[in-house]
Each structure stands twice: as C-alpha cells, then as structure tokens.
DNA sequence: ATATCGCGCCTGCATG
C-alpha cells in the first residue's frame, strides 16, 4: 500500500534494501506526509527506521530539479550527522540529489560549493545554523529561499532544554526566509507530553503525531550488592563480569568516573581468567577518535563479545548495531533515559534481550524498581519548554541585530514578540532587556536603529556566541603524542597521581598548567577520574512510586534474593505507620531522639525549593536527595505550623531569590546568557528553571497527613 | 571531594 505511493526511484531503493516489509512508523509516515503539508512528529523506539520514515516520502514528494536547498535536516550531534549522511546519501544516489554536511568539522570546500550552487539536502547542527545567521545572513537567503522540509532528528533531546528554545527560535527566523512555508518533521523516541512536542514545531494546530508504541521485550533481573564506600563492591564487579563475559553489553553506571572504574576492573578480571580483551569506556571525556574506534568496533564485530561502560553518549541514535545485554548500575535518573538505554538492545534471532539492574543500596534499588515499573506502565516524564526564557531571548536579540546589521528597535521588538520560542514574554519585558543591553553597551542606538555596541562586538564575534550552554575548561590527557581524552582540573591533577581514562590506567608524568595539558604513561593501578556536576533532577512521579512500593507488600519475580531482602529491610523501617488503604498525600515522619526525619517522596526541584524556603526561615534542615528527606530538630506536632509558614514564603519568594542571586551570582551558572539580564529577569529564570515553587506550594498545601512513628530500636 | 551527563563553533594562516 504505502510502498506503491513512493516515487519509482525510491521504490527501487526499498527493493534493493531487501526489506521484507515497511515498519509501521514508515508506512504511516509515507501515507500522511505524501497526503498533506502538515508538520509531523514521528515517535517510535530506537532503530525502528525513523530516518527512512521521514526521508522516503519527503524524497518522493520534493522536486529537487528546482534550485535551492529543499530539505534541511537538523541534528543535536555531529556524530549523528556523519552517520545519517551515509544513509541519506545512499538513498539519494537513486535520485541524483546532493547531500551536504554543514557543521564545524565538515569540509569548508563543500560548504563553499553549496553556496555557489544551492541544491539538495543539508545536514546541520543548531549552532551552525546560528552561526550562519550571524556571520553570513546572505547565505541563509541564498540557500534556503526554496526550503520545503525541515527534519529535526532526536527532537526529544531538545524538549525542555535551552538548546531546544534556541532551535525553536532559529526555526522561527528561518520561517521568514522562503516565500512559502516549510513543513517540519520531528523524529522522536516515545515522550511524555505530545502536546508540548507539537508546540515545538512552532504551529501546534498544524502538527500531527504518528506514534508506534511497540516496545522491547526484555528479560529483566534486579541484582543487589551492598556497597560500603564510594566505589563499587568487588562482588558486584565479579558478578557483572560473569553476566557479561560472553555477551555484547552496554553498561550504564550514571557517571564517567564509574564507567572508567568498571571498564578497567572488568578488563583486569578478564585478563586474569583468560576472557576477551574488548573492554571499553565511552563518554564525553574520552577522546573523540577513541570513541569512534569503539563505535566502529561495536558496529562491525559480528562474532566477538564486547563490553562498553558508558554514559548518555550512547543513548542517542549513533549507530553501534544492537547489543544483547543492557546493564544499569544503580537507578537511572529518568525514565526517558532508561527507555533510550533499553532501546539499544535487540537481537536479530528473536531471542529477547536482557536488562540487568544492579543496585548498591536499598534506596537506589527502590528508585530503580520504581523507574522500571513506570516504564512498564508507559509513563515518561513530561517536559515543558521554559515559558519565560529571558536569557535566550537576550541571546536571540543580539543574534538578530547582528544578522540584520542593525534594525529599528520597533522591528526587533516585533520580531521577538512574533517568535514562537517566546510566546509568553510581553513587550514591556522585552523592552527592559533591550534597555539593559543598551546600558551594557552590548547594543547601541544609531539614529533610528539599534546596532551591536562596542562591548557587544566582542560578545557576538567570539566563538562562544553560537551555543547556549557553558563548558568548563578541560585538560588534555596525552600519552606519547596521542590524546587519550580530557579531564577537568581537580586535586587529582598532580604529578605521580594515577588515574583511569579510556579504559586504561595512567600515571601523570607532567602537568602543563598554561597549555592545559597532562602527560601520562601507562600504569598498573589507579583511581577513577574526578568530575564535577550537580545531581540530576528526579521527577516527582518516580518518588511517589517509590513510596507506594514501600507501603505495598507486592513481590517481584525479577528481584534476586538479596534484592528482595533489601526491599524487605527498607519496608520494615516504614512498617509502623498506619497507612490508609488509598495512599494520596500522606508522607512519613520518623521521630528519633534529638530530631525527626521528614520523607517528602517528591521530585528534586520541589525538594530544592523546600530547602530554599527552610533556609529563608532560618530553619536548620539538612536534606538528602537520594532518600528525599529532611532532618529537623523539631517536635512532630509543630510540622503543620512550619508547613503553613513555608507556604507563605513560597507564594512570595521573589524577595529572597533576589537576595540570593545578588549574594551568589553563581546560582545562575546553569543559564549562560542570564548574567546580563536585568535583575528581575535573572530571578525569574532561577525561579522557573532551577526551582519549582509552585510544586513546593502544592506539596505544602496537599500533604495533609504527616504520619509519624518513633524509631524502632 | 556531597553530587549526572551532554551538546556546539568562526576565521585566518601554515603545512602536506
């Protein structure tokens, strides 16, 4: 059916691929994209042929004999562009259509040629598109005045992020370039809020979602090995070795340091017992060429088993083939992340893949179990774009002014107001931001126009202008002229210290502080590398599920005996409460000798907000995110009073936030362009994106019953 | 050292 709708050369391509049938998402996309010029979100799991689902109908539909770039593909990763280039180019051979990579590492000659003869398909990153608007606005017009389709790959990775808002704004600006409109096709994993995904295209009313919910069949097992220190228990590593020794496995331990530790330790065990030598690590601090080697090894080795200990670098769609075991060490921070990781598995022979979930403490086990159950239930964290991204508006105001070489203030205001990325920011607020930019000399008035100011020239002409995220300076780790990777500066960076990187052990021979370069030689024993970073935000729904699991007496066959024992032990601690049959807004309080412990069982942002409010009230209350709990020196009977007081603060927290931002500007480090905003907008950014005072207020209002029990001795 | 991760880049000039 769908197949017959395709253009003849595309049908030939499909036949040559020897696919037995089109995938459901492909069949649906072909029918819908060929039938209308609407925007679409194609949502289905990893490796379900989404790229082809978009390109088969688009290539059938678009007339490439006309001049100009007709299709623009936007990707969050250079590596993905390079991957997709091969696939799309292969497909385009059947049509004689040119495909051009356009990113910072792509050939400049190819870019120049494209400017001379704009045609075909361009694959680009958001930052390169930003750079093109800023540095070569005439090229934007030359290239894209005939644009018919924009394909956004891995659109879920942009949802709820600053980079997503930037991309939305760039698409809005791009929308003014062609005479007609272009349609947007977003490719996505299953996500939590499709209304939000539709908004992302800039025209929710004209966007339809095509969704294939087919998941993976996985054999799941929870395994429990209690840890005493910060490192992983030896028994866990031995068990992990046994479980993965003859498999193709991906291991996700949530941090770069632990990924190194696992890769090295498993490699050492393998060396002792005569196992294979294919133990790798893969994360942002491993040198790019090393990572590419690992990806290539995984993709092209049909027979040999391997183990890659990795971070979210292997969550997105880079093609590494499929693996037969996915291992999660301690709970993933989100269900969205767990979905992506599970999606990496899948065996051709029809055998189900295996998911191993290790835990090293009872709370992590509980969180892991909660995530896994929510995943089974089909829950994914809903993500919202910030409604008041003043910092990104500031960045785009500079970008547009540079693009236009100056423009009337009223026109800049109008353009920002009309931009779909900023629908909830009103004109007076935009004017406040423009005034602040004038005051900083980042903008300047010249007659009726605004132009880039003297100080602003340094900003918009610096390399850092094109991105909306910060990166810390890193030290390059070099062995015998070869780059191994890079690490941040830490107390560990000293001569004769040993560290792990790229799945090997090194001794630091020499540190060149000026050149940010660390010379290393191989060694036999070392520590995992140190990295900085705040904790990831856990969604309230996960914590609520944890509470439900704690109160229930449900058993799960997927838990091994030690896991069952750990869960039983944790349930025991909370067994004395008189839980109602229907658990809604009750929360436990454990009363100890000198203090009480309040378990909020809510999300990170709400906990963070509660901690801030307690600080405002000068209440000493150390807070532990892994157990979602606060310690208070207070009689339990005083808690309702305290909640009432906190609520009053929550409803009017601006004053305290203003004080906090003034005293500690580093609070806004998470938002690169916020430092140059007027103070009220800085406070607004902090309030909307770092905290959740609305959620905190609702928590304080709704948590009507605090059940308490004396600690059993 | 309480504690996740990840993403990007222009221009000019030298060298092979």
């Amino acid at each position: 059916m769908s197949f017959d709708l395709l253009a003849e050369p595309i049908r030939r391509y499909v036949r040559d691929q020897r696919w037995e049938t089109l995938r459901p998402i492909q069949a649906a996309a072909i029918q819908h994209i060929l039938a209308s010029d609407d925007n679409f979100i194609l949502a289905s799991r990893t490796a379900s042929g989404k790229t082809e689902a978009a390109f088969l109908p688009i290539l059938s539909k678009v007339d490439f004999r006309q001049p100009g770039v007709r299709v623009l593909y936007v990707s969050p990763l250079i590596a993905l562009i390079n991957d997709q280039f091969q696939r799309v180019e292969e497909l385009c051979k059947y049509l004689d259509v040119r495909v051009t990579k356009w990113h910072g590492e792509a050939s400049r000659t190819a870019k120049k040629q494209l400017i001379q003869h704009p045609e075909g398909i361009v694959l680009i990153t958001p930052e390169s598109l930003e750079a093109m608007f800023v540095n070569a606005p005439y090229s934007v017009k030359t290239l894209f005045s005939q644009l018919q389709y924009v394909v956004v790959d891995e659109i879920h990775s942009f949802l709820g992020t600053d980079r997503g808002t930037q991309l939305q704004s760039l698409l809005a600006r791009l929308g003014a370039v062609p005479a007609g409109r272009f349609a947007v096709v977003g490719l996505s994993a299953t996500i939590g809020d499709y209304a939000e995904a539709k908004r992302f295209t800039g025209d929710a009313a004209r966007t339809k979602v095509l969704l294939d919910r087919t998941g993976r069949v996985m054999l799941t097992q929870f395994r429990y090995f209690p840890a005493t220190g910060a490192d992983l228990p030896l028994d866990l590593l031995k068990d992990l070795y046994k479980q993965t020794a003859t498999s193709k496995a991906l291991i996700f331990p949530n941090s770069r340091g632990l990924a190194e530790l696992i890769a090295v330790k498993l490699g050492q065990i393998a060396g002792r017992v005569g196992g294979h030598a294919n133990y790798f690590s893969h994360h942002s601090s491993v040198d790019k060429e090393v990572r590419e080697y690992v990806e290539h090894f995984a993709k092209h080795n049909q027979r040999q088993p391997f183990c890659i200990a990795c971070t979210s670098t292997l969550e997105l769609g880079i093609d590494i083939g499929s693996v037969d075991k996915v291992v999660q060490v301690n709970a993933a921070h989100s269900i969205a992340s767990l979905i992506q990781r599970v999606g990496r598995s899948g065996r051709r022979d029809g055998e189900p893949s295996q998911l191993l979930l290790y835990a090293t403490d009872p709370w992590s086990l509980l969180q892991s179990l909660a995530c896994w159950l929510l995943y089974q239930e089909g829950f994914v964290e809903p993500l919202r774009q910030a409604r008041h991204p003043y910092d990104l508006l500031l960045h785009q105001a500079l970008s547009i002014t540079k693009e236009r070489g100056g423009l009337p203030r009223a026109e800049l205001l109008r353009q920002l107001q009309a931009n779909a990325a900023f629908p909830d920011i009103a004109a007076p607020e935009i004017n406040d931001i423009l005034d602040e930019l004038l005051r900083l000399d980042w903008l300047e008035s010249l007659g009726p126009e605004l132009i880039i100011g003297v100080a602003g020239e340094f900003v918009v002409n610096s390399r850092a202008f094109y991105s909306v995220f910060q990166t810390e300076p890193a030290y390059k780790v070099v062995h015998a002229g070869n780059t191994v990777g890079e690490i941040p500066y830490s107390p560990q960076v000293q001569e004769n210290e040993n560290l792990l990187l790229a799945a090997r052990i090194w001794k630091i021979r020499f540190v060149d502080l000026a050149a940010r370069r660390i010379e290393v030689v191989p060694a036999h024993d070392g520590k995992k590398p140190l990295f900085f970073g705040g904790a990831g935000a856990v969604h309230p729904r996960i914590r609520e599920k944890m509470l439900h699991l704690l109160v229930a007496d449900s058993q799960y066959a997927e838990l091994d005996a030690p896991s069952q024992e750990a869960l039983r032990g944790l349930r025991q601690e909370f067994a004395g409460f008189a839980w109602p049959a229907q658990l809604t807004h009750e929360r436990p309080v454990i009363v100890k000798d000198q203090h009480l412990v309040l378990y909020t069982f809510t999300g990170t942002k709400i906990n963070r907000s509660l901690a801030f409010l307690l600080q405002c009230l000068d209440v000493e209350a150390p807070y532990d995110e892994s157990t979602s709990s606060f310690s208070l020196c207070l009689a339990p009977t005083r808690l309702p009073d305290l909640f009432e007081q906190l609520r009053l603060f929550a409803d009017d927290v601006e004053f305290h936030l203003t004080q906090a931002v003034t005293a500690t500007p580093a609070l806004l480090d998470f938002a690169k362009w916020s430092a140059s905003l007027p103070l009220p907008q800085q406070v607004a950014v902090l309030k909307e994106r770092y905290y959740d005072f609305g959620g905190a207020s609702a928590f304080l209002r709704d948590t009507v019953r605090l059940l308490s029990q004396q600690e059993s001795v």
Side-chain angles (χ1 to χ4, degrees):
Chain A
M1 261 294 276
S2 295
F3 176 80
D4 301 326
L5 300 172
L6 296 170
E8 164 50 27
I10 305 294
R11 292 207 297 266
R12 197 146 43 80
Y13 168 83
V14 173
R15 280 194 296 264
D16 288 354
Q17 296 305 109
R18 299 174 189 280
W19 295 339
E20 284 171 24
T21 137
L22 290 169
R23 301 280 177 77
I25 195 73
Q26 294 171 337
I30 289 168
Q31 298 210 347
H32 284 88
I33 291 173
L34 288 177
S36 92
D37 291 331
D38 287 342
N39 301 330
F40 289 97
I41 306 288
L42 311 182
S44 71
R45 63 168 170 72
T46 318
S48 59
K50 285 195 289 275
T51 309
E52 288 77 9
F55 277 100
L56 297 180
I58 288 174
L59 294 180
S60 292
K61 189 174 177 179
V62 172
D63 179 2
F64 286 95
R65 286 168 306 184
Q66 291 187 42
V69 173
R70 309 305 311 277
V71 179
L72 180 64
Y73 161 99
V74 185
S75 153
L77 301 179
I78 289 177
L80 204 52
I81 288 182
N82 296 343
D83 247 27
Q84 300 287 42
F85 174 76
Q86 295 185 353
R87 297 168 74 182
V88 175
E89 202 188 31
E90 189 63 32
L91 176 49
C92 283
K93 279 183 190 153
Y94 289 75
L95 294 160
D96 198 23
V97 168
R98 177 144 81 159
V99 187
T100 309
K101 289 187 271 191
W102 194 294
H103 56 67
E105 294 167 18
S107 150
R108 275 192 271 178
T109 316
K111 293 180 190 172
K112 270 186 213 148
Q113 283 172 355
L114 187 73
I115 301 274
Q116 315 258 295
H117 304 285
E119 60 172 336
I121 301 173
V122 168
L123 317 181
I124 203 166
T125 59
E127 287 75 14
S128 279
L129 190 53
E130 183 82 70
M132 208 192 285
F133 268 112
V134 168
N135 297 313
Y138 37 87
S139 296
V140 176
K141 289 210 168 58
T142 312
L143 292 177
F144 302 128
S145 59
Q146 304 297 323
L147 196 60
Q148 201 175 335
Y149 271 96
V150 173
V151 177
V152 181
D153 205 353
E154 310 271 12
I155 203 169
H156 55 274
S157 76
F158 291 110
L159 293 179
T161 70
D162 295 351
R163 208 173 176 213
T165 302
Q166 177 190 27
L167 178 56
Q168 269 190 303
S169 172
L170 292 170
L171 292 182
R173 291 163 67 185
L174 196 59
V177 174
R181 76 179 264 286
F182 54 75
V184 178
V185 177
L187 312 184
S188 169
T190 47
I191 53 176
D193 183 349
Y194 287 98
E196 193 67 14
K198 286 159 87 169
R199 271 186 87 252
F200 192 88
T201 65
D203 188 354
R206 244 192 124 162
T207 304
K208 296 198 174 65
V209 176
L210 304 180
L211 171 61
D212 176 6
R213 279 194 187 280
T214 314
R216 287 267 184 229
V217 179
M218 300 289 284
L219 290 176
T220 306
Q221 205 188 7
F222 288 83
R223 303 178 78 77
Y224 187 75
F225 294 87
T228 42
D231 281 352
L232 293 173
L234 187 59
D235 285 347
L236 187 154
L237 291 164
K238 284 181 182 165
D239 188 71
L240 183 52
Y241 176 77
K242 266 188 275 177
Q243 295 289 333
T244 55
T246 57
S247 307
K248 295 180 179 184
L250 290 184
I251 304 172
F252 292 94
N254 299 332
S255 77
R256 288 172 282 176
L258 280 181
E260 290 299 342
L261 187 80
I262 287 173
V264 166
K265 297 283 184 194
L266 293 191
Q268 285 176 335
I269 296 174
R272 278 202 295 274
V273 304
H276 67 73
N278 309 322
Y279 288 87
F280 308 107
S281 68
H282 191 289
H283 52 79
S284 66
S285 298
V286 175
D287 179 68
K288 190 163 183 151
E289 281 184 25
V290 179
R291 281 159 70 174
E292 282 167 4
Y293 171 79
V294 174
E295 291 157 24
H296 186 268
F297 185 95
K299 188 175 168 184
H300 294 283
N301 267 276
Q302 299 299 318
R303 304 255 161 80
Q304 297 188 68
F306 63 80
C307 246
I308 309 174
C310 56
T311 62
S312 45
T313 49
L314 286 185
E315 259 175 38
L316 288 185
I318 300 168
D319 188 5
I320 55 159
S322 61
V323 300
D324 37 47
K325 284 193 182 170
V326 172
V327 181
Q328 176 67 50
V329 179
N330 283 329
H333 292 97
S334 72
I335 290 145
S337 186
L338 182 63
I339 289 174
Q340 294 282 106
R341 292 171 183 186
V342 166
R344 276 299 181 182
S345 72
R347 299 190 346 184
R348 302 269 151 71
D349 56 12
E351 287 285 300
S353 308
Q354 257 194 296
L355 173 64
L356 292 175
L357 298 152
Y358 283 87
T360 59
D361 75 89
W363 285 92
S364 190
L365 168 66
L366 188 66
Q367 186 173 326
S368 196
L369 183 57
C371 284
W372 181 70
L373 289 168
L374 286 169
Y375 164 62
Q376 307 286 314
E377 292 167 20
F379 175 80
V380 191
E381 295 88 354
L383 293 171
R384 272 167 65 101
Q385 290 310 116
R387 288 331 194 225
H388 302 94
Y390 299 112
D391 49 336
L392 299 162
L393 181 137
L394 177 149
H395 178 248
Q396 290 298 294
L398 292 169
S399 175
I400 292 166
T401 307
K402 176 81 195 296
E403 172 200 347
R404 297 284 302 273
L407 75 172
R409 177 166 177 154
E411 202 182 323
L412 179 58
L413 180 66
R414 188 194 50 73
Q415 201 184 324
L416 289 168
Q417 271 191 286
N419 189 314
F422 314 113
D424 297 335
I425 302 184
E429 296 173 304
I430 299 176
N431 273 318
D432 287 348
I433 292 166
L434 296 181
D435 287 340
E436 183 69 11
L437 288 173
L438 284 162
R439 205 183 61 76
L440 292 171
D441 200 20
W442 284 19
L443 290 180
E444 188 181 320
S445 282
L446 186 70
E449 299 213 327
L450 288 181
I451 60 168
I452 298 293
V454 175
E457 287 289 343
F458 290 98
V459 178
V460 299
N461 291 329
S462 97
R463 271 173 42 137
F465 183 68
Y466 314 107
S467 71
V468 297
F469 49 83
Q470 295 268 27
T471 37
E472 297 304 312
Y475 284 60
K476 193 174 271 198
V477 178
V478 182
H479 169 239
N482 295 317
T483 306
V484 181
E486 51 181 42
I487 57 173
Y489 190 71
S490 77
Q492 187 183 35
V493 178
Q494 298 215 8
E495 282 159 33
N496 292 322
E497 278 282 320
N498 287 18
L499 59 87
L500 316 179
L501 193 62
R504 295 181 62 184
I505 309 170
W506 308 98
K507 179 183 283 296
I508 298 179
R509 272 285 177 246
F510 180 69
V511 181
D512 185 343
L513 290 174
R516 296 217 172 98
R517 191 182 151 95
I518 302 169
E519 297 276 355
V520 296
V521 291
H524 297 292
D525 190 24
K527 300 185 193 110
K528 63 181 190 205
L530 303 175
F531 297 101
F532 312 112
V538 176
H539 192 272
R541 184 76 185 271
I542 295 174
R543 290 274 158 68
E544 284 158 20
K545 188 75 175 179
M546 287 165 69
L547 177 58
H548 283 149
L549 285 171
L550 207 50
V551 169
D553 56 5
S554 42
Q555 300 297 317
Y556 300 92
E558 290 82 4
L559 271 63
D560 70 351
S563 300
Q564 292 191 24
E565 190 49 45
L567 180 60
R568 184 159 44 238
L570 200 54
R571 281 173 168 171
Q572 199 66 46
E573 286 181 42
F574 291 81
F577 294 96
W579 296 109
Q582 201 66 12
L583 198 58
T584 51
H585 297 301
E586 294 77 10
R587 290 295 183 271
V589 175
I590 293 185
V591 182
K592 309 204 173 188
D593 269 355
Q594 302 294 322
H595 66 288
L596 60 80
V597 183
L598 163 66
Y599 289 87
T600 59
F601 283 101
T602 189
T604 306
K605 286 186 175 182
I606 293 180
N607 280 335
R608 202 181 266 166
S609 308
L610 293 172
F612 182 82
L613 295 170
L614 286 160
Q615 218 179 0
C616 292
L617 268 181
D618 267 331
V619 176
E620 183 102 4
Y623 134 64
D624 178 59
E625 175 61 18
S626 64
T627 57
S628 186
S629 69
F630 292 82
S631 296
L632 292 140
C633 291
L634 198 71
T637 48
R638 303 250 338 266
L639 276 172
D641 254 6
L642 177 67
F643 272 34
E644 194 53 42
Q645 272 181 292
L646 290 173
R647 257 189 80 194
L648 290 175
F649 272 87
D651 292 340
D652 189 22
V653 77
E654 261 81 7
F655 171 75
H656 294 279
L657 284 173
T658 306
Q659 283 197 319
V661 169
T662 313
T664 319
L667 278 173
L668 279 165
D669 280 354
F670 69 91
K672 178 170 160 184
W673 295 100
S674 63
S676 308
L677 287 170
L679 190 55
Q681 275 82 26
Q682 290 191 5
V683 169
V685 165
L686 187 66
K687 189 179 170 189
E688 181 177 53
R689 305 231 284 280
Y690 188 70
Y691 293 108
D692 179 4
F693 289 102
S697 190
F699 175 87
L700 292 166
R701 182 192 63 224
D702 295 339
T703 307
V704 285
R705 296 178 59 196
L706 288 161
L707 307 179
S708 58
Q709 85 175 9
Q710 215 69 39
E711 187 180 31
S712 49
V713 184

